[in-house]
Amino acid sequence: MLRVIEIIEATTVDGPGFRNSIYFAGCSHHCEGCHNPQSWSFDSGREMEISELLTLLTDRGLDVTFTGGDPVMQGEELITLAAGIREAGLTVWLYTGYKYEQLMEMESMSRLLDYIEVVVDGQFIKELRDESLLFVGEKKNTRG
């Protein structure tokens, strides 16, 4: 089971082209200026079976973006979903507050990356916000 707040069909804001964006519940990063603080609660949204999500997404035939909240906080079930999406020939983008290097240190999440085409990583930093950039909320963080 995965906890989903919303699925936005055919959006163009979370990656190139028309995509289905899944907004997952739960985030402990609590970035100042977050555009989606209602996603922080791990009790938001509703639980959905992975099979239900796969059917919904593959029937629509659009590439997929995992966002939220922080999808990584959903655990290993996310790997199963990502694998199924890839098996259907669709691409997967991931937005996460973790840095790529942190994900690589987490055994299960490093396996998730096998199914992800693009990772938009790192916590949002309000002072670096730049609305002119596509698919990211801020200028590159040079603070590490």
Side-chain angles (χ1 to χ4, degrees):
M1 297 289 270
L2 292 163
R3 188 160 281 280
V4 175
I5 297 171
E6 187 172 10
I7 299 173
I8 307 279
E9 185 175 357
T11 182
T12 59
V13 292
D14 294 322
F18 289 100
R19 316 180 65 76
N20 289 317
S21 289
I22 305 173
Y23 286 78
F24 290 98
C27 184
S28 60
H29 300 298
H30 297 186
C31 301
E32 181 183 351
C34 174
H35 76 284
N36 203 10
Q38 65 274 19
S39 68
W40 294 353
S41 172
F42 289 90
D43 295 325
S44 297
R46 67 182 181 103
E47 287 190 337
M48 294 182 72
E49 295 280 348
I50 294 169
S51 60
E52 177 186 4
L53 282 165
L54 275 174
T55 299
L56 182 82
L57 295 167
T58 56
D59 284 354
R60 291 179 179 173
L62 297 175
D63 292 325
V64 177
T65 297
F66 294 165
T67 189
D70 193 328
V72 171
M73 295 182 181
Q74 293 280 332
E76 292 199 29
E77 290 83 2
L78 201 61
I79 298 168
T80 304
L81 178 61
I85 292 167
R86 289 302 313 245
E87 286 175 20
L90 304 172
T91 66
V92 182
W93 276 38
L94 170 67
Y95 283 80
T96 179
Y98 290 100
K99 291 286 201 173
Y100 182 84
E101 296 78 12
Q102 291 173 302
L103 295 174
M104 290 301 293
E105 292 173 3
M106 300 176 203
E107 182 181 334
S108 62
M109 291 304 109
S110 67
R111 288 185 291 128
L112 171 66
L113 296 176
D114 291 338
Y115 304 103
I116 305 294
E117 280 66 41
V118 173
V119 178
V120 181
D121 69 339
Q123 293 185 25
F124 175 73
I125 301 171
K126 185 177 177 179
E127 301 82 49
L128 299 177
R129 183 175 181 195
D130 185 344
E131 293 182 16
S132 71
L133 300 173
L134 290 177
F135 312 132
V136 296
E138 64 203 285
K139 296 180 252 182
K140 182 176 170 126
N141 178 6
T142 56
R143 293 189 258 176

